[in-house]
Every structure is written in C-alpha cells, then in structure tokens.
Amino acid sequence: MRKIIHIDMDAFYASVEQRDFPAYRGKPLVVGGPPDTRGVVATASYEARKYGIHSAMPCSRAVKLCPHALFVFPRFDAYKAVSNSIRQIFSRYTDMIEPLSLDEAYLDVTTDKQGIGSAIEIARQIKDAIRAELQLTASAGVSINKFVAKIASDMDKPDGLTFIGPSRVERFMEQLPVEKFFGVGKVTAAKMRQLQLFTGADIKRLAEMDLVRLFGKSGRFYYRIVRGIDDRAVQPERELKSLAVEDTFHKDIDQLSAMEDELDKIAAKLAGRLTNRKLKGRTVTLKIKFSDFRTVTRSHSLPYYTDAFDEIIATVHQSLQAVVAEDRMPIRLLGIAMSNFDRVNLASSQLKLF
C-alpha cells in the first residue's frame, strides 16, 4: 500500500512577500493588480481572505471588498527560487516527487531515504524544515493515494497536517461534497445537484454504467474514487510539451505596430528561456485574446528546429498580420508558445516547477 503526501504551501506568493517585506505582515495583501486594471488576484494573504478575496478574482472586485488592501505585482523569480529550496527539502526524504505547480507537490514515501517509515512523521519533518529554513508554512495531507492526500492537505489550512488512513478512506469519500471531487466544476456540480447527488455516498448508490451515461468517461472515475480507488502513481518526470510566454496589457491595443512591438518583447523572453533550457522546437503558436475575451491561436510548423528570436518573431508577425486583417477588434493579451521539441535534447531539459 502506497504512502502518499501532498504538500501545499499556505498563501504562497503572499507569504513570500510578507516574509521578505515586514511592512506587509499582518495586513490584507493581494498579489496581482494594480486594482484599477483588469488584472486578477494571483494569491491573497489570509488577512485578505477574511474579506472574501480569493485567487482568480478580478482585482477590481478585490479592492471593493477590501479598499485598504495592499496590492503588489508578482515576483515570479523570487517564488521560483523559494520553490527550488522547497524541492531540496523534499529530496532529503524521497526522489519520487511530482510537482503540480510552484507551491504544491505529491511525494511517494512508501520507501523513504532516511528509513523513517512513517509518512505522518515525514510530513511533519518537512513542514518543520520549511518553517525553520524558509520562514514559511505548508499544509500536508497524508493518505494511501493522490486524490485523498490532496483533499486532506486542504482540510486544516494554514499549517495543517491531516491523515486519512486506509480504514477511513472509503467513509471519507462517502462524506465528501461532490464539489470537492476532481474535475467537478460549477456546471457538473449543478447537474449533480439536480440529480440529487450531493455527496460521495449519493454517487456511490449509482451503477458504473449509469454514471458513464450521465457523465461520460468521468463517470468511471467517480465510480472508482468514491470507493477510495486511485491507482495513479506519483510521476517524478513530466515531459515538457510546450514552453510559452504571454502578457496581458493594462489597456487594449488596437494598432498593429504596437502589437508587433509587444510580440518582439514576448519573443525575446521565449527565445531566452529556450536557450537557457537548451531546447529547440519546430511549432510556433501565436495566442491572441481580444477585448471581448475571445481567444484565437495560430500555429505554424517549421521544417527545422529552432530557438532563434528572428525565426520566432518572423513566424508570429506573419500570423498576427493575418488575424488582424480579418478582425480589427482591440487586443488585450498576446502570447507565443514553442512546441514539438527536438527529442534528442528534451530529456535533459525537463520542466522543473520547483
């Protein structure tokens, strides 16, 4: 039986800001903004969350909920540096680490490097090390599979440690609200409520064929997970499929020359990241989000692999001109992605989120 830990940092970006800048401590802090733009909240401190502010909320809404909140721009380089330190702490106990983002990861400690044997004790030691070495707090969930461990890590935030043992898993899933199930968004949750499905126990009463009929392939997942069955392994290596850079503008852009200038900046960042990772790709994709929030993408595959700025920018400029010729609506976001990488160099350039 597996021993899985899910570690989730508490209000990560905001906590790093409050650690690094004492003036932010104890105050409602929003990472994102500024509030007079269409930016969104990346993370809110726990002081800000008391006012109902949460991630992905428009900053304009956040400032209405808490007019005296402090807004700061994200410092992703700082967050990545902290994440690297967190990864080093994890690696003292296991190499079976699956990062999900900068601030959370799964660890399989079925066999741990230090021979501790107890997943609960390992989680406690990791939390203590993060606090002592990085002056930050993390919450941990411990169980026999990834699904339950992830839910458990969110049950006693901040600075929590929740263990759901083998004998409790199925009962735990029966009591779980359907909104907590992986893949259940607002639309699916509303459909479940219409069908009088409010908890795992309600789902459990349905046959697998009925769940598939009602929810498609996800029905098979629901059937298994309400019984505590999740065979997904912790995967230390995730193949890099694409590398992208995008930017949302404070004001919509309606001039082609200004769009091309912004693309030049984005392409320069992307080319730099490709070079740093020693990656070359063949497929260049332009992403455009218009002022009415419609999003279009245009991809072009080159006959060779490249990481060169000149070749990337020539490709996206051509795609941009074609799109703008068809649709003159102002643009609020531009992005460029490179994919279809040279597999010879890919193995040594895997995406590291920590």
Side-chain angles (χ1 to χ4, degrees):
M1 189 172 291
R2 290 176 177 145
K3 299 176 183 178
I4 307 296
I5 302 173
H6 179 258
I7 298 287
D8 190 7
M9 299 299 296
D10 298 324
F12 181 52
Y13 299 168
S15 295
V16 172
E17 296 296 338
Q18 290 180 321
R19 182 198 68 177
D20 292 349
F21 300 98
Y24 297 156
R25 295 173 191 171
K27 297 179 181 180
L29 179 70
V30 175
V31 179
D36 57 349
T37 68
R38 289 172 301 183
V40 297
V41 176
T43 304
S45 69
Y46 283 97
E47 294 87 353
R49 295 182 188 192
K50 293 177 181 178
Y51 293 87
I53 299 173
H54 57 76
S55 299
M57 172 182 286
C59 289
S60 57
R61 171 64 176 161
V63 76
K64 290 178 180 178
L65 291 173
C66 183
H68 62 284
L70 302 175
F71 286 78
V72 298
F73 283 109
R75 296 184 300 132
F76 288 110
D77 288 343
Y79 310 148
K80 289 176 183 177
V82 176
S83 288
N84 286 330
S85 299
I86 296 169
R87 176 65 178 266
Q88 293 304 312
I89 292 172
F90 293 163
S91 65
R92 298 171 193 171
Y93 300 90
T94 180
D95 293 324
M96 297 293 289
I97 304 165
E98 180 181 342
L100 300 179
S101 63
L102 287 175
D103 62 344
E104 62 176 320
Y106 290 114
L107 286 68
D108 187 329
V109 295
T110 309
T111 302
D112 67 279
K113 288 181 177 180
Q114 299 187 29
I116 296 171
S118 167
I120 301 173
E121 178 58 26
I122 293 170
R124 184 175 291 112
Q125 290 189 21
I126 288 173
K127 282 167 48 64
D128 289 346
I130 290 172
R131 182 191 297 276
E133 299 173 29
L134 303 174
Q135 295 78 54
L136 296 170
T137 64
S139 293
V142 181
S143 193
I144 60 173
N145 61 50
K146 293 165 75 172
F147 187 93
V148 179
K150 182 172 173 63
I151 295 172
S153 69
D154 195 44
M155 293 182 66
D156 191 26
K157 275 185 162 288
D159 200 21
L161 198 171
T162 302
F163 170 62
I164 308 295
S167 63
R168 293 178 54 205
V169 166
E170 194 162 353
R171 179 60 177 159
F172 173 78
M173 293 306 305
E174 290 174 350
Q175 297 174 340
L176 193 70
V178 295
E179 291 84 359
K180 294 288 188 180
F181 279 60
F182 175 79
V184 175
K186 292 182 179 179
V187 174
T188 303
K191 180 178 180 179
M192 287 185 170
R193 287 193 293 269
Q194 289 177 348
L195 295 168
Q196 301 298 301
L197 303 176
F198 301 103
T199 66
D202 297 328
I203 295 176
K204 197 173 183 179
R205 287 195 287 268
L206 295 180
E208 183 175 8
M209 291 181 61
D210 292 331
L211 288 170
V212 172
R213 175 176 55 82
L214 292 168
F215 303 106
K217 293 181 180 179
S218 296
R220 292 192 175 89
F221 173 78
Y222 301 147
Y223 180 84
R224 291 172 59 82
I225 203 61
V226 294
R227 290 163 174 78
I229 302 170
D230 179 10
D231 297 328
R232 295 174 300 154
V234 171
Q235 299 177 331
E237 297 295 338
R238 294 189 293 168
E239 185 173 295
L240 179 61
K241 299 294 185 181
S242 66
L243 195 63
V245 177
E246 62 182 41
D247 191 15
T248 300
F249 312 119
H250 295 317
K251 294 183 178 180
D252 295 338
I253 297 175
D254 56 9
Q255 297 295 318
L256 178 61
S257 59
M259 298 174 194
E260 290 177 337
D261 288 344
E262 294 297 336
L263 275 184
D264 290 351
K265 299 174 187 176
I266 294 169
K269 290 181 181 178
L270 178 61
R273 294 180 186 180
L274 289 167
T275 301
N276 289 340
R277 294 178 182 273
K278 300 180 180 179
L279 282 172
K280 294 185 177 183
R282 287 185 54 209
T283 301
V284 182
T285 299
L286 170 67
K287 176 181 177 181
I288 300 174
K289 182 177 287 187
F290 292 102
S291 57
D292 62 356
F293 287 84
R294 285 182 299 114
T295 301
V296 300
T297 58
R298 295 290 184 270
S299 296
H300 180 76
S301 292
L302 302 168
Y304 48 82
Y305 295 101
T306 186
D307 62 355
F309 167 81
D310 291 345
E311 293 168 345
I312 295 171
I313 202 61
T315 302
V316 293
H317 273 197
Q318 184 176 3
S319 298
L320 174 68
Q321 291 164 8
V323 172
V324 171
E326 297 176 2
D327 195 329
R328 297 297 301 180
M329 182 167 286
I331 287 172
R332 73 187 310 269
L333 176 148
L334 287 170
I336 309 173
M338 179 69 80
S339 57
N340 195 6
F341 294 118
D342 181 357
R343 301 192 66 84
V344 173
N345 296 319
L346 182 59
S348 61
S349 306
Q350 290 301 302
L351 177 61
K352 296 187 183 300
L353 295 173
F354 280 86

